[in-house]
Amino acid sequence: MTPGISSSSRTARPGAPAAEVPQEGRPYAAWLVPLVPFLWTLGFGLWGLSRQDSVWRDEAATWQVALRSTGEIWHMLGNVDAVHGLYYLLMHGLFEVFGASTTALRLPSVLAVAVAAACVASVARRLTPGRAGSWAGIGAGTALGLLPAVQFQLQEGRPYALVAAGAGLSTLLLVGRLEAGPDGRRRRARWWAYGLTVLVCALLNWLSLLILPAHAATLWWVRAGRPVLLRWALASAGATAGALPLILFSRTQSGQVSWIPPLTWSMLVGPAILLAIGAVGALLDRPHARRHDGRHDGRPSVAAVGLPLLVVPFVALAGLSMVQPLFLDRYVLFSMLGSALLIGAALGAGVRAAERRSPRAAALVVPVAVTGAVLAMLPLELGKRAPASRVDDVLAVADEVARLKGAGDAVLFVPAARRDTALVSPRRFAGLADIALVQSPAASGTLKGVEGEDPARLRAAMLAHRRILLVTDAAKVAKPSGAERDRVKAAVLGEHFVAVADRQVRGRRVTVYEQRPDAR
């Protein structure tokens, strides 16, 4: 065996042009190509990670649940948010070890996107022929973290980036199996790893199972053989069966997503743009796709993997949303891996075109493209790292409460979900009486606790305090509350209290009310 030449290089077609020989002959490429996007994405994610010490309402749910005991988390999952149970338990462990902070909250997402970028780079490198393969891999991997939807989740304390990492790994395992030779113990182990990865992703968010029809489309595209189809079907069925209890149980909590609006044409504008980008990448990869898929040996091209991964999950989620509104792009964030792969294919095509004129110029295609994209998207990158990129900030309003509160004061939340700011920053609310609360979130197994429904009791509790702090949404984002108890709060405050201080900060509002002298 010739040193530095792999079996795939040695089995290239006799007389084939050098540009068509895969880059497996470069031993360092297998680890260097994914390492570059991994480090790039890691650094990109660590930049401005604290977002000026802000935490918004979605991340506040992660934070306050992670602070509970394991028993309290299990109790809550029986009532709400079972779909995120594995993620909450993971974050609980991280908070136990490293403490609660914005770094511990968001670093898992940064690392996850970095892993996804490395997987994308490896897939693009393996499926792009010639010396352009390494550049296509680096371009695809670095492009992933620059995509706007990914940039949002890159620094988000929620599970969607972790799902994207698992999707990248399962896609890499699938591609590796399609490129492999006859089955053996090692090949069967890859199918076990594939099924386990898909299962873990489903336990983080079971809508990640929409990657399976995307992979099925890839297998159909490359005309995979019956043994491969059978083993893929078994691995997929095992993963789906493993997640089925969670799916069925979480459906009993479907009221949690009742706020998602019905699907409209305007929601499809973003996916349509991505589809157009994907189509361009697929066209640029078309000559290579013909060479690969034309052999009918089950080996994929970048287009055969990237285009289904980009399109199929969006289409499937749109179909599900016809039954129940579920169309949120973060649920299929992993489809952005397909977009990155097709961008890598386009960059690889650019490198091949430049090689015909000047090898030195070819080496500049990807660095110049990435640098240009970073500079062009700088306003977006800065915006995503600012508190204003989210609808509110629970930490900022907690600081205002700490400055405005006094001895013997009470606090009210409208709606009750705004209690999240006290759950994330309990020290800021120390000494304040939460007079509407009858059962804490931890004791009730809920995210916001249980408030009393008796208007007379609530009215008496409010009149028993001279000063009340009301925490609610800022005027520009506030929505009318339909709860009767919230109408009672507003009525009593308007009739018997007067506002003496009002602060609006980063999407939240705290108003200090003092009881009128004539109030009884």
Side-chain angles (χ1 to χ4, degrees):
M1 180 174 179
T2 304
I5 305 296
S6 71
S7 59
S8 60
S9 295
R10 289 185 282 107
T11 57
R13 298 194 311 274
E20 292 190 23
V21 178
Q23 287 299 292
E24 300 296 333
R26 297 183 178 183
Y28 59 84
W31 59 266
L32 182 60
V33 170
L35 180 63
V36 171
F38 177 87
L39 295 177
W40 158 267
T41 307
L42 181 62
F44 193 62
L46 292 176
W47 168 37
L49 183 61
S50 71
R51 210 160 55 235
Q52 299 178 29
D53 294 319
S54 64
V55 173
W56 76 298
R57 61 183 64 175
D58 279 20
E59 292 180 311
T62 300
W63 189 304
Q64 59 124 325
V65 173
L67 289 175
R68 302 184 189 185
S69 69
T70 303
E72 289 171 339
I73 294 175
W74 278 112
H75 177 40
M76 185 204 75
L77 296 179
N79 300 315
V80 68
D81 255 4
V83 68
H84 298 313
L86 179 60
Y87 176 71
Y88 285 146
L89 291 171
L90 169 65
M91 295 307 299
H92 168 72
L94 292 177
F95 274 29
E96 284 286 306
V97 175
F98 300 105
S101 67
T102 54
T103 300
L105 178 69
R106 298 181 183 132
L107 188 58
S109 291
V110 176
L111 292 172
V113 177
V115 169
C119 292
V120 165
S122 294
V123 171
R125 179 190 68 85
R126 297 180 70 160
L127 300 183
T128 304
R131 286 175 293 183
S134 294
W135 284 119
I138 292 173
T142 53
L144 179 65
L146 292 174
L147 297 172
V150 178
Q151 284 201 46
F152 190 96
Q153 297 297 332
L154 175 64
Q155 298 179 328
E156 185 80 349
R158 299 299 284 169
Y160 308 108
L162 277 69
V163 173
L169 180 57
S170 64
T171 301
L172 179 59
L173 289 168
L174 181 68
V175 168
R177 180 58 196 90
L178 290 176
E179 289 195 327
D183 235 354
R185 290 184 179 179
R186 185 177 179 184
R187 309 311 177 196
R188 287 194 293 271
R190 286 185 180 181
W191 284 121
W192 278 100
Y194 174 86
L196 181 60
T197 303
V198 172
L199 173 59
V200 171
C201 286
L203 295 179
L204 288 168
N205 189 319
W206 57 261
L207 283 172
S208 66
L209 290 173
L210 294 179
I211 198 173
L212 293 178
H215 286 170
T218 294
L219 294 175
W220 172 83
W221 188 324
V222 303
R223 305 178 189 180
R226 183 174 296 179
V228 170
L229 290 174
L230 178 60
R231 288 179 173 84
W232 174 83
L234 289 174
S236 301
T240 304
L244 188 59
L246 174 63
I247 296 172
L248 296 176
F249 183 75
S250 65
R251 291 296 300 153
T252 65
Q253 302 174 353
S254 59
Q256 287 183 257
V257 293
S258 60
W259 60 271
I260 299 177
L263 184 65
T264 62
W265 288 110
S266 62
M267 295 180 182
L268 300 177
V269 173
I273 294 173
L274 290 173
L275 178 58
I277 296 173
V280 172
L283 287 173
L284 291 172
D285 191 50
R286 190 175 179 183
H288 174 226
R290 281 204 192 109
R291 287 194 295 270
H292 268 244
D293 300 338
R295 292 196 303 265
H296 308 295
D297 61 358
R299 295 186 180 183
S301 65
V302 176
V305 176
L307 196 56
L309 190 54
L310 171 62
V311 176
V312 173
F314 271 111
V315 174
L317 185 60
L320 289 176
S321 297
M322 298 295 184
V323 180
Q324 177 180 347
L326 288 172
F327 197 86
L328 294 176
D329 58 1
R330 61 176 176 259
Y331 289 164
V332 287
L333 178 72
F334 58 88
S335 67
M336 294 297 99
L337 276 64
S339 181
L341 282 171
L342 295 170
I343 291 173
L347 292 172
V351 171
R352 287 194 294 271
E355 278 182 335
R356 301 188 187 102
R357 295 183 176 88
S358 169
R360 291 184 179 180
L364 295 176
V365 170
V366 172
V368 169
V370 171
T371 301
V374 170
L375 294 177
M377 300 177 71
L378 188 59
L380 175 67
E381 294 154 7
L382 294 173
K384 294 295 185 185
R385 288 159 176 78
S389 64
R390 271 64 172 177
V391 69
D392 57 10
D393 178 8
V394 303
L395 297 183
V397 73
D399 290 338
E400 288 297 324
V401 168
R403 281 190 284 268
L404 293 171
K405 71 179 183 179
D409 288 355
V411 63
L412 291 171
F413 301 93
V414 175
R418 298 303 160 258
R419 187 171 280 105
D420 56 2
T421 186
L423 299 173
V424 171
S425 304
R427 292 182 181 179
R428 297 288 190 270
F429 286 77
L432 291 173
D434 191 345
I435 53 178
L437 187 69
V438 296
Q439 194 173 21
S440 71
S444 62
T446 62
L447 289 170
K448 57 187 178 183
V450 177
E451 294 189 348
E453 299 292 341
D454 183 359
R457 174 195 169 279
L458 179 58
R459 177 188 177 92
M462 292 175 66
L463 293 176
H465 289 81
R466 188 180 69 85
R467 285 185 12 130
I468 296 176
L469 278 68
L470 175 66
V471 178
T472 185
D473 291 319
K476 62 180 181 180
V477 297
K479 296 180 180 180
S481 174
E484 175 63 26
R485 59 180 177 275
D486 290 337
R487 288 193 286 269
V488 172
K489 295 173 189 176
V492 174
L493 288 174
E495 183 179 356
H496 298 290
F497 291 79
V498 59
V500 296
D502 186 57
R503 302 286 188 274
Q504 296 193 50
V505 53
R506 296 180 181 176
R508 291 286 174 101
R509 182 178 189 175
V510 55
T511 306
V512 180
Y513 288 90
E514 285 189 359
Q515 193 171 140
R516 300 177 189 273
D518 58 344
R520 292 186 302 170

